Amino acid sequence: MALLDVNHLDVRFALRRGDVQALRDVSFSLERGERLGIVGESGAGKSVAAFSLLNLIAKPGYIAGGSIQFDGRELTQMSDRALRHVRGHRMSMIFQDPMMTLNPVLSIGEQMVECLKAHRRISNREARAIALNKLEQVQIPSPAARLDQYPHELSGGMRQRVIIAIALLLDPDIIIADEPTTALDVTIQAEIMALLLELCEKHNVGLILITHDLGVVSQVTQRMLVMYAGRVIEQGPTREIINDPQHPYTQGLINALPQMATPGSRLNQIPGSMPSLDNLPSGCAFHPRCGFVQRADGSTRRACIDEVPGFVTSGNCRVACHMVAEMLERERIPAEEIR
Ligand SMILES: Nc1ncnc2c1ncn2[C@@H]1O[C@H](COP(=O)(O)OP(=O)(O)OP(=O)(O)O)[C@@H](O)[C@H]1O
Ligand SMILES: [Mg+2]
């Protein structure tokens, strides 16, 4: 059994005008030490997915259905106490903004010692030694001096190194990183990503990496999920999806990369924008933006407009698309020809 197994997860926000379904039928798993990327445009539900893994969805949000099995235990049914243990020891989270994690009025050392002592019975001296060791692991210059500094005294890149050190503090099994480098300069982004990858590999820590950057996903992760309007619409091995995307939305994301554009021409942006979750189009939520609703012969594939597509298997990937389903159906050799 996988370390993390998410099945048919539904998350809703109870708003005055009615429930908004932020995640629908999200299923995926993560093996120990595996790295999974989650991509999709703004509003796709990536952060909601990350927060719900730690059962951290704040009201009016709630988990409306499905299951999250972590190491064989059901997270959605866990007591607050057991959940705190999981959050502290087993899964940690890195946010885009380091100040979501760092307390501005405590020194780096104080925060790390406090965090360690909340979860382990150890002395101040022992906790400080562990904190220093973690700061060394994230290759921060003059680690001992950093312990007595305050967050505002560090550069953005150094702060994010401290955040990684804190995420590693209790030797977790999984780190969930939500856009961990978007707030940083491009060169620093690459350094921080390389560091995160190196540390996860070295300590066999699983990583769930949420990012807009398909380049980073292809360098860092082994498997990926593509999300659109609260659903996973394609998932599988990262290499396969990047090299041969099946879903028209994934194809659009890859075609929109600057390196795919002809020099001097405009970028190939996907037309339109993601629908709002409380006003989803009928059928496939992507259909108003999809160039494949019309078949090559000019006929319209009604299913795209009328029916929410289920998953089909293509190679090692799972894809929710009527066009792909139709193509696979056509490719299937009729039984009489096999005989
Ligand atoms: N607190 C909330 N109250 C109501 N709806 C919410 C709330 N948080 C999220 N949502 C809904 O969930 C959707 C997905 O939000 P989410 O933050 O997961 O997007 P995202 O994919 O992480 O986007 P981004 O790339 O901009 O971070 C939002 O568009 C919104 O409709
Ligand atoms: Mg987000």
Side-chain angles (χ1 to χ4, degrees):
M1 191 180 182
L3 179 60
L4 180 69
D5 217 340
V6 178
N7 274 297
H8 309 295
L9 188 64
D10 277 3
V11 172
R12 298 183 188 183
F13 287 92
L15 304 181
R16 218 171 299 146
R17 57 178 192 275
D19 271 18
V20 167
Q21 202 168 350
L23 292 189
R24 317 173 169 241
D25 199 17
V26 168
S27 299
F28 66 91
S29 61
L30 188 82
E31 301 292 336
R32 193 170 282 281
E34 191 177 32
R35 294 182 299 279
L36 174 82
I38 305 184
V39 302
E41 283 164 300
S42 189
K46 306 180 296 295
S47 295
V48 170
F51 280 104
S52 56
L53 292 182
L54 288 170
N55 215 332
L56 278 177
I57 292 289
K59 278 195 173 128
Y62 67 103
I63 293 179
S67 78
I68 306 172
Q69 296 262 327
F70 174 70
D71 209 4
R73 295 179 66 199
E74 180 57 50
L75 265 182
T76 57
Q77 309 290 333
M78 254 182 209
S79 67
D80 285 349
R81 202 182 143 171
L83 266 175
R84 264 200 303 278
H85 178 85
V86 170
R87 283 185 209 131
H89 288 261
R90 316 276 322 257
M91 287 201 243
S92 50
M93 189 143 180
I94 298 177
F95 301 98
Q96 173 177 343
D97 177 3
M99 295 318 272
M100 293 258 300
T101 308
L102 294 175
N103 184 335
V105 300
L106 293 181
S107 71
I108 304 299
E110 282 166 337
Q111 320 204 16
M112 295 178 85
V113 166
E114 197 172 81
C115 173
L116 278 160
K117 290 187 74 174
H119 291 280
R120 284 192 196 155
R121 283 169 179 234
I122 50 174
S123 67
N124 273 336
R125 177 194 278 261
E126 286 166 314
R128 229 176 129 85
I130 296 173
L132 179 61
N133 173 267
K134 297 295 174 191
L135 288 179
E136 285 163 357
Q137 284 185 22
V138 298
Q139 298 154 26
I140 204 161
S142 341
R146 302 295 164 203
L147 284 174
D148 297 317
Q149 288 189 311
Y150 289 84
H152 71 265
E153 298 178 78
L154 304 180
S155 69
M158 273 200 252
R159 262 185 234 153
Q160 208 54 314
R161 282 180 197 266
V162 169
I163 296 292
I164 296 175
I166 292 176
L168 290 168
L169 212 47
L170 294 150
D171 303 315
D173 300 296
I174 300 176
I175 290 180
I176 302 168
D178 190 356
E179 307 268 5
T181 62
T182 14
L184 303 170
D185 293 347
V186 178
T187 46
I188 314 263
Q189 280 185 8
E191 278 174 24
I192 298 286
M193 257 347 290
L195 172 72
L196 192 56
L197 173 60
E198 182 192 320
L199 289 170
C200 286
E201 273 183 331
K202 191 164 157 198
H203 301 288
N204 201 30
V205 178
L207 179 68
I208 297 180
L209 177 66
I210 296 173
T211 173
H212 282 97
D213 191 333
L214 281 167
V216 166
V217 167
S218 71
Q219 281 162 14
V220 173
T221 68
Q222 294 129 339
R223 288 193 313 117
M224 66 186 277
L225 312 180
V226 184
M227 292 193 64
Y228 189 82
R231 283 192 85 199
V232 175
I233 51 96
E234 181 157 10
Q235 62 176 300
T238 304
R239 187 153 303 170
E240 259 177 62
I241 293 183
I242 299 278
N243 289 338
D244 188 18
Q246 303 291 307
H247 198 287
Y249 177 61
T250 318
Q251 293 175 3
L253 285 181
I254 291 173
N255 280 330
L257 292 174
Q259 59 265 39
M260 301 303 262
T262 338
S265 70
R266 289 164 59 92
L267 294 180
N268 312 309
Q269 293 302 325
I270 306 172
S273 56
M274 180 136 64
S276 113
L277 293 176
D278 52 7
N279 192 17
L280 285 185
S282 63
C284 170
F286 185 62
H287 91 256
R289 303 173 73 187
C290 182
F292 294 95
V293 178
Q294 302 275 327
R295 295 190 185 82
D297 64 9
S299 64
T300 303
R301 193 177 295 100
R302 286 299 314 176
C304 300
I305 301 163
D306 297 334
E307 295 163 32
V308 176
F311 276 103
V312 289
T313 303
S314 170
N316 295 306
C317 301
R318 272 159 45 92
V319 189
C321 172
H322 292 298
M323 185 263 293
V324 174
E326 195 175 287
M327 254 170 27
L328 289 171
E329 189 61 31
R330 214 177 311 130
E331 279 167 15
R332 221 170 50 197
I333 307 167
E336 59 268 24
E337 285 181 25
I338 300 174
R339 256 181 272 127

